[in-house]
Amino acid sequence: MTDRSDDETAAGGIDSDAMDDRLRRAPIGIIETTTDGRVVDVNDVAATLLETDPSAIRGTAIGECFPKSADGTLREAFGGPSPTPASFEEYYPLIDRWLAVDVHVDEGTLVYVRDRTPRKETEQTVDRIDQRLDRIQRINSLVATVLQQVIGTSDRSDIARTVCEQLGGTDLYRFAWVGDRSFSEERLRVLAAAGDAANLRERIGESLEDERTVPGQAAVTSGETQRHEAIAEDDTVPRGIRRAAFGHGLQSCLAVPLAYQGTVYGVVTVYTDREDGFSDQERVALETLGGVAGFAINAGQQEDLLVADTGTEVTVEVRGETVPFVGAAREADRALSLAGAIPRGDGAVVCYLTADGPLEGVDESLTDCEAVANVRRIRDETEPLLQATVSGDTPVTALAAWGATIEGGEYGIESARLVAEVPSDGDVRRLLEAVDAVVSETQLVAKRETTRAPEPTEGFRDTLDEQLTDRQRTVLRTAHLSDYFTSPRGSSSAEVAETLDIAGSTMLYHLRRAEQKLVEAFFDADSATEAGGSDAAIDDAEPSATDGT
């Protein structure tokens, strides 16, 4: 290091050879200063790091020529009568770099500068990944907890309350609300909400009353998840909601439809105060929750239909070029009757068709229909019977997804009429909308309230139905409609299993369990009636069940 007077330094009389050659060639940045903090010299590495010219900072105070940082540690080191040794790492926004700075005080003062930006960026990336993984794990755990509670709940209000309480009251999400679609007016309604933004619920309710589009409406309309980031700047969101969200520091929201097999029952919308919104993994987890909640709502509707004393029977006429079985009826020049329809559990419906005459050509016509698969003749002679599995967007799948029981139907050469039963408090208009969404024209032909008479046979069937699992009921009814129990059989066990898309051993296991419960229920009921009479009523309940066994 070269000795130099403070007067010379202050006057800026610095020549290019002032710094020791070893320091000038060093691989790190070095700044030489006087004891009062004025720059004597700087090597090229330091000048490059600071994005300045060496001649521009010689003779200036290091506190003025060095970029400013948030903490100002360098200025503190040179703030006293003499420099104070220090070592630190800081971010300097003006040059967008992290620098490691060491102030070394001996006979003179040297400031060593090293670029730590690559290492810091790596550390920050690792931290972000760790935080994201931790968040995903917490979200998955939260969703799993909600799923466990939702599975045991069938009432729509209970489902909404469970979802909101678990999501809206955590540090992951500041607010959550569930909108219900099943009511008579053309807009959502708030079914439940939770979180620390009470006035946000009020603004959402007001917007729904005024029929303004809220985050979540598009999710219901499209059936797809919607993201709204930077809510405060999103003009598609009503002003009242934007202001309320901004007031609580909420920056983004995610709206997930509550749907099952193509039918949207409502929406859950969650709000967060995070700037980065929602990750793809987070979206997938919440969509899983939306699907399970939709399944639970659908299961509740079906349960209501099974246990209800009253119901609503509707007859719907549909028209459209893509309606399955209409084209087949036209080509065969005869009407087809729907003898039975069984939802398979994966969105598909297994249909059984009869006709007043042979089914020649009908199966060939259905084979070319994209929505129809597994076409098979069960019997050809007396009362011909055809089996076909329907999937995708069709009237029968829409009815089944809504939770309706399809009682029967007629397919003509131009249109089809379907008869279905829904719970008495079911939303018939929404049911018609679900069907209308998959065809070109839908018309309600008839609607009537039905009452289930408390007859002995009904009591027997209800008791047995409670004992059967969903799978056992599906296998038993499919086998029955497939003429599995007739002699000779119209379908083999392998064909029934193929219809249900399950293994043959699985089909036989569920069938035998169902047969066992059927026989046990029959003889238990028979024993009970011997004491009170009315054996004939019990015998009429399932006249051929034991023959199938």
Side-chain angles (χ1 to χ4, degrees), residues 33 89 115 123 172 199 214 218 286 340 345 357 380 396 403 422 436 486 507:
T33 73
E89 290 185 358
D115 189 1
E123 292 175 354
L172 291 172
N199 64 328
V214 304
L286 291 171
D380 286 317
V396 290
V422 297
D436 191 56
T486 61
M507 191 282 295

Side-chain angles (χ1 to χ4, degrees), residues 33 257 278 317 519:
T33 73
F278 299 84
E317 182 173 350
V519 173

Side-chain angles (χ1 to χ4, degrees), residues 341-353:
I342 303 176
R344 201 168 67 178
D346 57 356
V349 178
V350 181
C351 299
Y352 293 87
L353 302 168

Side-chain angles (χ1 to χ4, degrees), residues 99-155:
L99 298 179
V101 180
D102 293 285
V103 180
H104 181 73
V105 180
D106 197 357
E107 295 179 358
T109 302
L110 294 176
V111 179
Y112 300 100
V113 184
R114 293 178 296 277
D115 189 1
R116 287 290 185 263
T117 304
R119 191 186 71 183
K120 279 291 183 180
E121 289 178 346
T122 300
E123 292 175 354
Q124 290 173 345
T125 299
V126 172
D127 288 342
R128 283 195 297 270
I129 293 175
D130 288 342
Q131 292 173 5
R132 186 174 301 172
L133 289 175
D134 177 67
R135 182 177 180 82
I136 291 172
Q137 290 174 352
R138 293 174 61 199
I139 290 171
N140 287 339
S141 176
L142 175 62
V143 169
T145 300
V146 178
L147 294 183
Q148 291 175 354
Q149 297 182 13
V150 165
I151 285 297
T153 306
S154 59
D155 182 79

Side-chain angles (χ1 to χ4, degrees), residues 109-436:
T109 302
L110 294 176
V111 179
Y112 300 100
V113 184
R114 293 178 296 277
D115 189 1
R116 287 290 185 263
T117 304
R119 191 186 71 183
K120 279 291 183 180
E121 289 178 346
T122 300
E123 292 175 354
Q124 290 173 345
T125 299
V126 172
D127 288 342
R128 283 195 297 270
I129 293 175
D130 288 342
Q131 292 173 5
R132 186 174 301 172
L133 289 175
D134 177 67
R135 182 177 180 82
I136 291 172
Q137 290 174 352
R138 293 174 61 199
I139 290 171
N140 287 339
S141 176
L142 175 62
V143 169
T145 300
V146 178
L147 294 183
Q148 291 175 354
Q149 297 182 13
V150 165
I151 285 297
T153 306
S154 59
D155 182 79
R156 192 172 302 193
S157 297
D158 290 341
I159 292 172
R161 189 164 46 253
T162 298
V163 171
C164 288
E165 289 176 353
Q166 291 294 330
L167 295 182
T170 68
D171 59 345
L172 291 172
Y173 305 113
R174 295 274 305 282
F175 183 78
W177 72 280
V178 170
D180 184 23
R181 188 189 179 195
S182 262
F183 64 108
S184 59
E185 299 181 2
E186 282 290 346
R187 56 180 181 266
L188 290 168
R189 66 180 172 122
V190 178
L191 195 59
D196 59 0
N199 64 328
L200 178 56
R201 173 173 180 165
E202 295 176 3
R203 301 293 87 79
I204 292 172
E206 292 172 357
S207 297
L208 291 174
E209 289 293 330
D210 295 340
E211 299 188 27
R212 285 175 287 176
T213 301
V214 304
Q217 185 66 59
V220 171
T221 303
S222 66
E224 299 179 352
T225 300
Q226 303 292 319
R227 292 192 219 197
H228 290 262
E229 297 182 351
I231 299 175
E233 303 173 4
D234 191 342
D235 293 337
T236 64
V237 179
R239 186 168 180 268
I241 295 178
R242 281 185 284 151
R243 294 184 63 181
F246 179 78
H248 290 280
L250 303 179
Q251 302 195 46
S252 58
C253 70
L254 189 76
V256 178
L258 306 181
Y260 179 67
Q261 293 186 359
T263 300
V264 179
Y265 299 100
V267 64
V268 55
T269 305
V270 292
Y271 287 75
T272 179
D273 55 5
R274 291 182 293 117
E275 294 180 359
D276 55 351
F278 299 84
S279 67
D280 290 338
Q281 296 91 337
E282 200 168 349
R283 174 184 56 78
V284 170
L286 291 171
E287 285 176 344
T288 300
L289 172 61
V292 173
F295 166 79
I297 294 172
N298 175 270
Q301 289 184 334
Q302 293 181 335
E303 181 181 359
D304 290 343
L305 182 59
L306 288 173
V307 302
D309 294 330
T310 61
T312 302
E313 183 184 89
V314 295
T315 301
V316 182
E317 182 173 350
V318 295
R319 294 176 181 270
E321 295 295 328
T322 60
V323 177
F325 310 142
V326 169
R330 183 166 50 248
E331 291 190 18
D333 194 24
R334 66 175 57 88
L336 302 177
S337 298
L338 184 62
I342 303 176
R344 201 168 67 178
D346 57 356
V349 178
V350 181
C351 299
Y352 293 87
L353 302 168
T354 62
D356 294 332
L359 290 170
E360 295 295 336
V362 175
D363 47 358
E364 289 85 353
S365 175
L366 291 177
T367 302
D368 298 330
C369 183
E370 184 178 352
V372 180
N374 301 327
V375 180
R376 183 171 64 90
R377 295 188 198 180
I378 294 177
R379 57 175 182 258
D380 286 317
E381 299 175 355
T382 306
E383 298 182 357
L385 181 64
L386 185 73
Q387 171 194 290
T389 301
V390 179
S391 60
D393 295 332
T394 70
V396 290
T397 54
L399 288 169
W402 192 258
T405 298
I406 304 171
E407 302 290 346
E410 294 290 332
Y411 292 89
I413 61 175
E414 293 183 354
S415 64
R417 286 194 175 190
L418 299 172
V419 180
E421 186 179 9
V422 297
S424 58
D425 59 348
D427 194 335
V428 174
R429 188 177 61 82
R430 292 294 184 185
L431 177 66
L432 294 177
E433 288 179 352
V435 176
D436 191 56

Side-chain angles (χ1 to χ4, degrees), residues 477-494:
R477 191 170 181 221
T478 303
H480 171 62
L481 290 173
S482 300
D483 279 0
Y484 176 78
F485 297 112
T486 61
S487 181
R489 285 178 172 169
S491 302
S492 66
S493 60

